[in-house]
PDB file of all heavy atoms in Angstrom:
ATOM      1  N   THR A  11     -33.293  29.869  44.111  1.00  0.00           N
ATOM      2  CA  THR A  11     -34.276  28.804  44.321  1.00  0.00           C
ATOM      3  C   THR A  11     -33.572  27.577  44.898  1.00  0.00           C
ATOM      4  O   THR A  11     -32.565  27.118  44.358  1.00  0.00           O
ATOM      5  CB  THR A  11     -34.954  28.434  42.992  1.00  0.00           C
ATOM      6  OG1 THR A  11     -35.468  29.623  42.392  1.00  0.00           O
ATOM      7  CG2 THR A  11     -36.078  27.440  43.217  1.00  0.00           C
ATOM      8  N   THR A  12     -34.103  27.053  45.991  1.00  0.00           N
ATOM      9  CA  THR A  12     -33.446  25.946  46.693  1.00  0.00           C
ATOM     10  C   THR A  12     -34.449  24.841  47.001  1.00  0.00           C
ATOM     11  O   THR A  12     -35.536  25.107  47.516  1.00  0.00           O
ATOM     12  CB  THR A  12     -32.803  26.441  48.009  1.00  0.00           C
ATOM     13  OG1 THR A  12     -31.831  27.452  47.704  1.00  0.00           O
ATOM     14  CG2 THR A  12     -32.127  25.302  48.750  1.00  0.00           C
ATOM     15  N   VAL A  13     -34.052  23.614  46.677  1.00  0.00           N
ATOM     16  CA  VAL A  13     -34.839  22.430  47.041  1.00  0.00           C
ATOM     17  C   VAL A  13     -33.987  21.623  48.005  1.00  0.00           C
ATOM     18  O   VAL A  13     -32.867  21.221  47.678  1.00  0.00           O
ATOM     19  CB  VAL A  13     -35.213  21.591  45.813  1.00  0.00           C
ATOM     20  CG1 VAL A  13     -36.121  20.430  46.234  1.00  0.00           C
ATOM     21  CG2 VAL A  13     -35.907  22.454  44.762  1.00  0.00           C
ATOM     22  N   TYR A  14     -34.522  21.392  49.186  1.00  0.00           N
ATOM     23  CA  TYR A  14     -33.769  20.817  50.308  1.00  0.00           C
ATOM     24  C   TYR A  14     -34.490  19.559  50.790  1.00  0.00           C
ATOM     25  O   TYR A  14     -35.697  19.595  51.034  1.00  0.00           O
ATOM     26  CB  TYR A  14     -33.696  21.861  51.415  1.00  0.00           C
ATOM     27  CG  TYR A  14     -32.855  21.541  52.621  1.00  0.00           C
ATOM     28  CD1 TYR A  14     -31.614  22.158  52.794  1.00  0.00           C
ATOM     29  CD2 TYR A  14     -33.287  20.672  53.604  1.00  0.00           C
ATOM     30  CE1 TYR A  14     -30.842  21.900  53.922  1.00  0.00           C
ATOM     31  CE2 TYR A  14     -32.520  20.410  54.728  1.00  0.00           C
ATOM     32  CZ  TYR A  14     -31.293  21.027  54.882  1.00  0.00           C
ATOM     33  OH  TYR A  14     -30.528  20.778  55.996  1.00  0.00           O
ATOM     34  N   VAL A  15     -33.756  18.472  50.923  1.00  0.00           N
ATOM     35  CA  VAL A  15     -34.335  17.202  51.360  1.00  0.00           C
ATOM     36  C   VAL A  15     -33.876  16.882  52.771  1.00  0.00           C
ATOM     37  O   VAL A  15     -32.688  17.007  53.104  1.00  0.00           O
ATOM     38  CB  VAL A  15     -33.929  16.053  50.409  1.00  0.00           C
ATOM     39  CG1 VAL A  15     -34.155  14.693  51.069  1.00  0.00           C
ATOM     40  CG2 VAL A  15     -34.709  16.137  49.114  1.00  0.00           C
ATOM     41  N   THR A  16     -34.810  16.497  53.626  1.00  0.00           N
ATOM     42  CA  THR A  16     -34.481  16.052  54.969  1.00  0.00           C
ATOM     43  C   THR A  16     -35.539  15.071  55.464  1.00  0.00           C
ATOM     44  O   THR A  16     -36.679  15.094  54.998  1.00  0.00           O
ATOM     45  CB  THR A  16     -34.372  17.241  55.946  1.00  0.00           C
ATOM     46  OG1 THR A  16     -34.041  16.760  57.258  1.00  0.00           O
ATOM     47  CG2 THR A  16     -35.696  17.996  56.039  1.00  0.00           C
ATOM     48  N   HIS A  17     -35.145  14.209  56.402  1.00  0.00           N
ATOM     49  CA  HIS A  17     -36.128  13.339  57.069  1.00  0.00           C
ATOM     50  C   HIS A  17     -36.540  13.935  58.410  1.00  0.00           C
ATOM     51  O   HIS A  17     -37.444  13.434  59.076  1.00  0.00           O
ATOM     52  CB  HIS A  17     -35.524  11.947  57.314  1.00  0.00           C
ATOM     53  CG  HIS A  17     -34.387  11.965  58.301  1.00  0.00           C
ATOM     54  ND1 HIS A  17     -33.094  12.303  57.937  1.00  0.00           N
ATOM     55  CD2 HIS A  17     -34.336  11.741  59.639  1.00  0.00           C
ATOM     56  CE1 HIS A  17     -32.318  12.254  58.993  1.00  0.00           C
ATOM     57  NE2 HIS A  17     -33.045  11.924  60.044  1.00  0.00           N
ATOM     58  N   ASP A  18     -35.872  15.031  58.805  1.00  0.00           N
ATOM     59  CA  ASP A  18     -36.092  15.662  60.108  1.00  0.00           C
ATOM     60  C   ASP A  18     -37.156  16.747  59.959  1.00  0.00           C
ATOM     61  O   ASP A  18     -36.909  17.816  59.396  1.00  0.00           O
ATOM     62  CB  ASP A  18     -34.770  16.266  60.589  1.00  0.00           C
ATOM     63  CG  ASP A  18     -34.862  16.859  61.990  1.00  0.00           C
ATOM     64  OD1 ASP A  18     -35.991  17.212  62.412  1.00  0.00           O
ATOM     65  OD2 ASP A  18     -33.824  16.989  62.656  1.00  0.00           O
ATOM     66  N   GLN A  19     -38.344  16.497  60.492  1.00  0.00           N
ATOM     67  CA  GLN A  19     -39.428  17.452  60.292  1.00  0.00           C
ATOM     68  C   GLN A  19     -39.204  18.748  61.062  1.00  0.00           C
ATOM     69  O   GLN A  19     -39.686  19.803  60.655  1.00  0.00           O
ATOM     70  CB  GLN A  19     -40.778  16.811  60.632  1.00  0.00           C
ATOM     71  CG  GLN A  19     -40.897  16.212  62.008  1.00  0.00           C
ATOM     72  CD  GLN A  19     -41.516  17.158  63.007  1.00  0.00           C
ATOM     73  OE1 GLN A  19     -42.025  18.196  62.652  1.00  0.00           O
ATOM     74  NE2 GLN A  19     -41.455  16.788  64.275  1.00  0.00           N
ATOM     75  N   VAL A  20     -38.439  18.723  62.145  1.00  0.00           N
ATOM     76  CA  VAL A  20     -38.114  19.977  62.839  1.00  0.00           C
ATOM     77  C   VAL A  20     -37.223  20.839  61.943  1.00  0.00           C
ATOM     78  O   VAL A  20     -37.420  22.054  61.827  1.00  0.00           O
ATOM     79  CB  VAL A  20     -37.426  19.686  64.188  1.00  0.00           C
ATOM     80  CG1 VAL A  20     -36.963  20.990  64.836  1.00  0.00           C
ATOM     81  CG2 VAL A  20     -38.362  18.935  65.126  1.00  0.00           C
ATOM     82  N   GLU A  21     -36.260  20.212  61.305  1.00  0.00           N
ATOM     83  CA  GLU A  21     -35.395  20.911  60.349  1.00  0.00           C
ATOM     84  C   GLU A  21     -36.226  21.507  59.214  1.00  0.00           C
ATOM     85  O   GLU A  21     -36.031  22.650  58.800  1.00  0.00           O
ATOM     86  CB  GLU A  21     -34.368  19.908  59.796  1.00  0.00           C
ATOM     87  CG  GLU A  21     -33.169  20.507  59.110  1.00  0.00           C
ATOM     88  CD  GLU A  21     -32.148  19.435  58.794  1.00  0.00           C
ATOM     89  OE1 GLU A  21     -31.505  18.933  59.740  1.00  0.00           O
ATOM     90  OE2 GLU A  21     -31.992  19.080  57.613  1.00  0.00           O
ATOM     91  N   ALA A  22     -37.164  20.720  58.719  1.00  0.00           N
ATOM     92  CA  ALA A  22     -38.015  21.191  57.620  1.00  0.00           C
ATOM     93  C   ALA A  22     -38.839  22.399  58.039  1.00  0.00           C
ATOM     94  O   ALA A  22     -38.938  23.392  57.312  1.00  0.00           O
ATOM     95  CB  ALA A  22     -38.934  20.063  57.158  1.00  0.00           C
ATOM     96  N   MET A  23     -39.414  22.342  59.230  1.00  0.00           N
ATOM     97  CA  MET A  23     -40.308  23.406  59.682  1.00  0.00           C
ATOM     98  C   MET A  23     -39.563  24.704  59.985  1.00  0.00           C
ATOM     99  O   MET A  23     -40.127  25.790  59.880  1.00  0.00           O
ATOM    100  CB  MET A  23     -41.061  22.947  60.929  1.00  0.00           C
ATOM    101  CG  MET A  23     -41.961  21.737  60.706  1.00  0.00           C
ATOM    102  SD  MET A  23     -43.457  22.123  59.810  1.00  0.00           S
ATOM    103  CE  MET A  23     -44.459  22.787  61.137  1.00  0.00           C
ATOM    104  N   THR A  24     -38.308  24.606  60.379  1.00  0.00           N
ATOM    105  CA  THR A  24     -37.566  25.806  60.749  1.00  0.00           C
ATOM    106  C   THR A  24     -36.841  26.443  59.568  1.00  0.00           C
ATOM    107  O   THR A  24     -36.400  27.594  59.665  1.00  0.00           O
ATOM    108  CB  THR A  24     -36.525  25.490  61.838  1.00  0.00           C
ATOM    109  OG1 THR A  24     -35.689  24.408  61.400  1.00  0.00           O
ATOM    110  CG2 THR A  24     -37.207  25.093  63.134  1.00  0.00           C
ATOM    111  N   MET A  25     -36.717  25.726  58.435  1.00  0.00           N
ATOM    112  CA  MET A  25     -35.932  26.242  57.312  1.00  0.00           C
ATOM    113  C   MET A  25     -36.768  26.658  56.104  1.00  0.00           C
ATOM    114  O   MET A  25     -36.445  27.629  55.424  1.00  0.00           O
ATOM    115  CB  MET A  25     -34.904  25.199  56.861  1.00  0.00           C
ATOM    116  CG  MET A  25     -33.852  24.883  57.889  1.00  0.00           C
ATOM    117  SD  MET A  25     -32.635  23.684  57.312  1.00  0.00           S
ATOM    118  CE  MET A  25     -31.675  24.696  56.182  1.00  0.00           C
ATOM    119  N   GLY A  26     -37.833  25.925  55.800  1.00  0.00           N
ATOM    120  CA  GLY A  26     -38.514  26.100  54.536  1.00  0.00           C
ATOM    121  C   GLY A  26     -39.487  27.265  54.491  1.00  0.00           C
ATOM    122  O   GLY A  26     -40.188  27.535  55.474  1.00  0.00           O
ATOM    123  N   ASP A  27     -39.529  27.955  53.326  1.00  0.00           N
ATOM    124  CA  ASP A  27     -40.635  28.873  53.061  1.00  0.00           C
ATOM    125  C   ASP A  27     -41.922  28.061  52.948  1.00  0.00           C
ATOM    126  O   ASP A  27     -42.967  28.450  53.452  1.00  0.00           O
ATOM    127  CB  ASP A  27     -40.408  29.634  51.754  1.00  0.00           C
ATOM    128  CG  ASP A  27     -39.176  30.524  51.806  1.00  0.00           C
ATOM    129  OD1 ASP A  27     -38.909  31.087  52.877  1.00  0.00           O
ATOM    130  OD2 ASP A  27     -38.489  30.652  50.777  1.00  0.00           O
ATOM    131  N   ARG A  28     -41.812  26.933  52.244  1.00  0.00           N
ATOM    132  CA  ARG A  28     -42.888  25.941  52.205  1.00  0.00           C
ATOM    133  C   ARG A  28     -42.271  24.560  52.397  1.00  0.00           C
ATOM    134  O   ARG A  28     -41.087  24.339  52.128  1.00  0.00           O
ATOM    135  CB  ARG A  28     -43.647  25.979  50.872  1.00  0.00           C
ATOM    136  CG  ARG A  28     -44.544  27.183  50.688  1.00  0.00           C
ATOM    137  CD  ARG A  28     -45.440  27.005  49.455  1.00  0.00           C
ATOM    138  NE  ARG A  28     -44.637  26.787  48.248  1.00  0.00           N
ATOM    139  CZ  ARG A  28     -45.088  26.157  47.155  1.00  0.00           C
ATOM    140  NH1 ARG A  28     -46.316  25.685  47.120  1.00  0.00           N
ATOM    141  NH2 ARG A  28     -44.309  26.012  46.107  1.00  0.00           N
ATOM    142  N   VAL A  29     -43.102  23.628  52.841  1.00  0.00           N
ATOM    143  CA  VAL A  29     -42.661  22.257  53.090  1.00  0.00           C
ATOM    144  C   VAL A  29     -43.585  21.316  52.337  1.00  0.00           C
ATOM    145  O   VAL A  29     -44.814  21.451  52.402  1.00  0.00           O
ATOM    146  CB  VAL A  29     -42.685  21.928  54.598  1.00  0.00           C
ATOM    147  CG1 VAL A  29     -42.270  20.484  54.843  1.00  0.00           C
ATOM    148  CG2 VAL A  29     -41.771  22.885  55.364  1.00  0.00           C
ATOM    149  N   ALA A  30     -42.979  20.368  51.612  1.00  0.00           N
ATOM    150  CA  ALA A  30     -43.747  19.355  50.885  1.00  0.00           C
ATOM    151  C   ALA A  30     -43.564  18.022  51.595  1.00  0.00           C
ATOM    152  O   ALA A  30     -42.440  17.532  51.736  1.00  0.00           O
ATOM    153  CB  ALA A  30     -43.261  19.255  49.433  1.00  0.00           C
ATOM    154  N   VAL A  31     -44.664  17.440  52.058  1.00  0.00           N
ATOM    155  CA  VAL A  31     -44.633  16.180  52.796  1.00  0.00           C
ATOM    156  C   VAL A  31     -44.963  15.037  51.845  1.00  0.00           C
ATOM    157  O   VAL A  31     -45.985  15.073  51.145  1.00  0.00           O
ATOM    158  CB  VAL A  31     -45.647  16.198  53.964  1.00  0.00           C
ATOM    159  CG1 VAL A  31     -45.544  14.913  54.776  1.00  0.00           C
ATOM    160  CG2 VAL A  31     -45.400  17.410  54.858  1.00  0.00           C
ATOM    161  N   MET A  32     -44.101  14.003  51.827  1.00  0.00           N
ATOM    162  CA  MET A  32     -44.297  12.862  50.935  1.00  0.00           C
ATOM    163  C   MET A  32     -44.441  11.575  51.730  1.00  0.00           C
ATOM    164  O   MET A  32     -43.900  11.433  52.831  1.00  0.00           O
ATOM    165  CB  MET A  32     -43.125  12.742  49.952  1.00  0.00           C
ATOM    166  CG  MET A  32     -42.971  13.925  49.018  1.00  0.00           C
ATOM    167  SD  MET A  32     -41.705  13.672  47.753  1.00  0.00           S
ATOM    168  CE  MET A  32     -42.504  12.396  46.736  1.00  0.00           C
ATOM    169  N   GLN A  33     -45.182  10.650  51.164  1.00  0.00           N
ATOM    170  CA  GLN A  33     -45.332   9.308  51.726  1.00  0.00           C
ATOM    171  C   GLN A  33     -45.516   8.328  50.578  1.00  0.00           C
ATOM    172  O   GLN A  33     -46.360   8.547  49.698  1.00  0.00           O
ATOM    173  CB  GLN A  33     -46.526   9.216  52.687  1.00  0.00           C
ATOM    174  CG  GLN A  33     -46.690   7.815  53.300  1.00  0.00           C
ATOM    175  CD  GLN A  33     -48.050   7.632  53.961  1.00  0.00           C
ATOM    176  OE1 GLN A  33     -49.031   8.243  53.533  1.00  0.00           O
ATOM    177  NE2 GLN A  33     -48.108   6.797  54.971  1.00  0.00           N
ATOM    178  N   ASN A  34     -44.730   7.272  50.572  1.00  0.00           N
ATOM    179  CA  ASN A  34     -44.840   6.213  49.560  1.00  0.00           C
ATOM    180  C   ASN A  34     -44.828   6.769  48.135  1.00  0.00           C
ATOM    181  O   ASN A  34     -45.595   6.320  47.275  1.00  0.00           O
ATOM    182  CB  ASN A  34     -46.104   5.376  49.787  1.00  0.00           C
ATOM    183  CG  ASN A  34     -46.079   4.642  51.110  1.00  0.00           C
ATOM    184  OD1 ASN A  34     -45.016   4.297  51.620  1.00  0.00           O
ATOM    185  ND2 ASN A  34     -47.246   4.414  51.688  1.00  0.00           N
ATOM    186  N   GLY A  35     -43.974   7.762  47.903  1.00  0.00           N
ATOM    187  CA  GLY A  35     -43.833   8.316  46.565  1.00  0.00           C
ATOM    188  C   GLY A  35     -44.911   9.299  46.156  1.00  0.00           C
ATOM    189  O   GLY A  35     -44.897   9.783  45.020  1.00  0.00           O
ATOM    190  N   VAL A  36     -45.834   9.616  47.042  1.00  0.00           N
ATOM    191  CA  VAL A  36     -46.959  10.504  46.717  1.00  0.00           C
ATOM    192  C   VAL A  36     -46.875  11.769  47.568  1.00  0.00           C
ATOM    193  O   VAL A  36     -46.677  11.706  48.786  1.00  0.00           O
ATOM    194  CB  VAL A  36     -48.311   9.798  46.958  1.00  0.00           C
ATOM    195  CG1 VAL A  36     -49.474  10.747  46.677  1.00  0.00           C
ATOM    196  CG2 VAL A  36     -48.424   8.550  46.087  1.00  0.00           C
ATOM    197  N   LEU A  37     -47.036  12.920  46.919  1.00  0.00           N
ATOM    198  CA  LEU A  37     -47.082  14.189  47.636  1.00  0.00           C
ATOM    199  C   LEU A  37     -48.385  14.278  48.421  1.00  0.00           C
ATOM    200  O   LEU A  37     -49.471  14.201  47.858  1.00  0.00           O
ATOM    201  CB  LEU A  37     -46.982  15.347  46.639  1.00  0.00           C
ATOM    202  CG  LEU A  37     -47.039  16.755  47.224  1.00  0.00           C
ATOM    203  CD1 LEU A  37     -45.845  17.019  48.126  1.00  0.00           C
ATOM    204  CD2 LEU A  37     -47.114  17.795  46.106  1.00  0.00           C
ATOM    205  N   GLN A  38     -48.274  14.453  49.740  1.00  0.00           N
ATOM    206  CA  GLN A  38     -49.450  14.516  50.599  1.00  0.00           C
ATOM    207  C   GLN A  38     -49.960  15.950  50.772  1.00  0.00           C
ATOM    208  O   GLN A  38     -51.153  16.209  50.700  1.00  0.00           O
ATOM    209  CB  GLN A  38     -49.113  13.931  51.978  1.00  0.00           C
ATOM    210  CG  GLN A  38     -48.628  12.499  51.952  1.00  0.00           C
ATOM    211  CD  GLN A  38     -49.689  11.531  51.489  1.00  0.00           C
ATOM    212  OE1 GLN A  38     -50.816  11.540  51.995  1.00  0.00           O
ATOM    213  NE2 GLN A  38     -49.354  10.684  50.528  1.00  0.00           N
ATOM    214  N   GLN A  39     -49.037  16.875  50.998  1.00  0.00           N
ATOM    215  CA  GLN A  39     -49.426  18.269  51.218  1.00  0.00           C
ATOM    216  C   GLN A  39     -48.206  19.140  51.047  1.00  0.00           C
ATOM    217  O   GLN A  39     -47.088  18.761  51.436  1.00  0.00           O
ATOM    218  CB  GLN A  39     -50.009  18.457  52.627  1.00  0.00           C
ATOM    219  CG  GLN A  39     -50.539  19.865  52.914  1.00  0.00           C
ATOM    220  CD  GLN A  39     -51.213  19.979  54.280  1.00  0.00           C
ATOM    221  OE1 GLN A  39     -51.321  18.996  55.005  1.00  0.00           O
ATOM    222  NE2 GLN A  39     -51.658  21.170  54.636  1.00  0.00           N
ATOM    223  N   VAL A  40     -48.382  20.296  50.459  1.00  0.00           N
ATOM    224  CA  VAL A  40     -47.319  21.298  50.381  1.00  0.00           C
ATOM    225  C   VAL A  40     -47.904  22.626  50.838  1.00  0.00           C
ATOM    226  O   VAL A  40     -48.930  23.076  50.326  1.00  0.00           O
ATOM    227  CB  VAL A  40     -46.712  21.386  48.967  1.00  0.00           C
ATOM    228  CG1 VAL A  40     -47.764  21.681  47.909  1.00  0.00           C
ATOM    229  CG2 VAL A  40     -45.615  22.438  48.915  1.00  0.00           C
ATOM    230  N   ASP A  41     -47.261  23.223  51.848  1.00  0.00           N
ATOM    231  CA  ASP A  41     -47.804  24.447  52.428  1.00  0.00           C
ATOM    232  C   ASP A  41     -46.735  25.092  53.300  1.00  0.00           C
ATOM    233  O   ASP A  41     -45.635  24.544  53.457  1.00  0.00           O
ATOM    234  CB  ASP A  41     -49.052  24.129  53.251  1.00  0.00           C
ATOM    235  CG  ASP A  41     -50.144  25.192  53.097  1.00  0.00           C
ATOM    236  OD1 ASP A  41     -49.784  26.384  53.016  1.00  0.00           O
ATOM    237  OD2 ASP A  41     -51.326  24.829  53.051  1.00  0.00           O
TER     238      ASP A  41
END
């Protein structure tokens, strides 16, 4: 199990089984 943090959305989209998008401390969407 791996939790990976990045600010690069291209990196996120190419690596994650799922991606959790956050803004101002609030989870916006995970999919």
Side-chain angles (χ1 to χ4, degrees):
T11 307
T12 300
V13 184
Y14 186 105
V15 163
T16 180
H17 66 278
D18 184 336
Q19 55 95 10
V20 174
E21 197 172 289
M23 298 286 279
T24 54
M25 295 181 74
D27 297 324
R28 288 190 302 156
V29 178
V31 183
M32 297 187 69
Q33 181 194 30
N34 297 331
V36 178
L37 179 64
Q38 302 294 310
Q39 184 175 358
V40 57
D41 219 322

